[in-house]
Amino acid sequence: MQTTDSPSGFAASAGRAAGRSLKPLIRRCTFVGSIVRVSTERPVIVLTYDDGPDPLGTTAILEALEAKRASATFFVLLTRVRRHPRLLDDILAAGHEIGLHGLDHQRLSSLPYGTAKARLRDGKAELEDLTGQLIRWMRPPYGAQTFATWHAIRTTNLEPVMWNRTTWDSRNVSQQERVAMATQRPISGTILLAHDGFAGEADGVGDGPEPTVDRGRLTTLILEEFQARGLSGCSLEAALEQGTAVREGWFTRKEG
Ligand SMILES: [Zn+2]
């Protein structure tokens, strides 16, 4: 997915419009917050993958994670789960966590409230039937979220999970640049955004050609860099076993 790299697009634009004091105010609105990182003493980075499952990307990433004994949270699209049901089984069998990314990749914020809510309800139910597990987390496509879609997510017994670091794997940049972006000034509890697939027309969107990315290799390089700094990768669920979710207001319609 192509996402804004800024966790505060709305805050930034609203802040420019209404004065600089608004941005910290919105960020402090944790009662309407989304999870953006984990507060933890453990040296872990939360690995998250969106837009899969994908025959190439997911398979390569699962191999890379296994080699580094890392776990991750996969935010899946039902359009893709239906096409590749065995890949969902592979993710679960390897001990990773599943979250919802959507029935397809359309922005919830572009849909009427009732439609967005029905999609969330149906996506959660279908994924719970397929996995036999409770689905707790929702990653909105593009990180696009309004108060209405935040409310729809929360009242569907889901919780929005955003990120505070990206791998730039939706951009046509070098692997070296992606690794540098993902691993600069690493802090325990960081939630890292990556992708095991690339949403396309079959997922309800047209976001242009897929960038060239060796996704398995990128995961390996990032985990090696973290390892050199004493950090390991794990799922959100695993990070929260000895940590606390940090929530911030995240409201944006933008995409990057
Ligand atoms: Zn996405």
Side-chain angles (χ1 to χ4, degrees):
M1 80 181 185
Q2 294 67 58
T3 50
T4 171
D5 291 338
S6 164
S8 56
F10 172 82
S13 57
R16 280 192 296 275
R20 291 186 179 185
S21 61
L22 193 55
K23 182 173 176 178
L25 179 68
I26 290 170
R27 281 205 163 197
R28 282 199 300 272
C29 290
T30 53
F31 63 95
V32 289
S34 302
I35 296 175
V36 294
R37 63 184 173 87
V38 174
S39 174
T40 180
E41 297 290 311
R42 284 177 63 210
V44 293
I45 301 292
V46 178
L47 305 176
T48 66
Y49 293 92
D50 295 1
D51 295 7
D54 178 87
L56 288 177
T58 309
T59 305
I61 286 165
L62 288 177
E63 286 175 9
L65 294 173
E66 185 178 8
K68 296 293 180 193
R69 298 172 179 269
S71 63
T73 301
F74 289 80
F75 290 95
V76 298
L77 296 168
L78 268 306
T79 41
R80 285 171 167 257
V81 168
R82 292 170 195 150
R83 296 206 296 276
H84 310 294
R86 291 181 66 176
L87 287 176
L88 184 73
D89 295 340
D90 290 347
I91 295 169
L92 289 166
H96 303 296
E97 185 182 28
I98 297 290
L100 175 66
H101 198 33
L103 281 183
D104 64 17
H105 206 264
Q106 288 185 66
R107 282 175 189 77
L108 289 178
S109 57
S110 69
L111 301 170
Y113 180 86
T115 306
K117 174 112 177 163
R119 283 170 154 261
L120 290 160
R121 185 192 60 223
D122 293 350
K124 176 178 162 72
E126 186 172 342
L127 211 44
E128 288 181 344
D129 281 349
L130 290 168
T131 62
Q133 297 179 357
L134 179 70
I135 301 298
R136 301 167 66 191
W137 314 128
M138 165 70 193
R139 162 83 43 87
Y142 308 96
Q145 183 166 256
T146 61
F147 175 76
T149 62
W150 175 88
H151 184 270
I153 291 168
R154 295 297 289 126
T155 55
T156 311
N157 290 322
L158 290 162
E159 179 150 15
V161 177
M162 304 305 192
W163 61 90
N164 62 340
R165 176 67 58 185
T166 171
T167 55
W168 271 358
D169 62 352
S170 295
R171 297 188 183 195
N172 268 314
V173 297
S174 69
Q175 288 285 61
Q176 199 176 8
E177 287 173 285
R178 293 188 183 114
V179 174
M181 168 52 67
T183 61
Q184 63 175 303
R185 297 187 302 278
I187 299 168
S188 295
T190 289
I191 298 180
L192 185 67
L193 168 71
H195 299 81
D196 54 331
F198 185 83
E201 286 180 16
D203 309 298
V205 293
D207 293 328
E210 180 174 357
T212 304
V213 190
D214 184 336
R215 300 184 186 279
R217 181 71 183 146
L218 180 59
T219 289
T220 299
L221 291 170
I222 288 170
L223 287 176
E224 283 176 353
E225 189 65 35
F226 284 144
Q227 207 168 20
R229 304 180 201 197
L231 294 156
S232 59
C234 72
S235 67
L236 178 58
E237 180 181 45
L240 290 175
E241 285 171 9
Q242 293 178 49
T244 309
V246 177
R247 295 172 178 82
E248 288 183 358
W250 177 306
F251 298 106
T252 174
R253 290 174 181 272
K254 291 183 177 180
E255 68 267 17

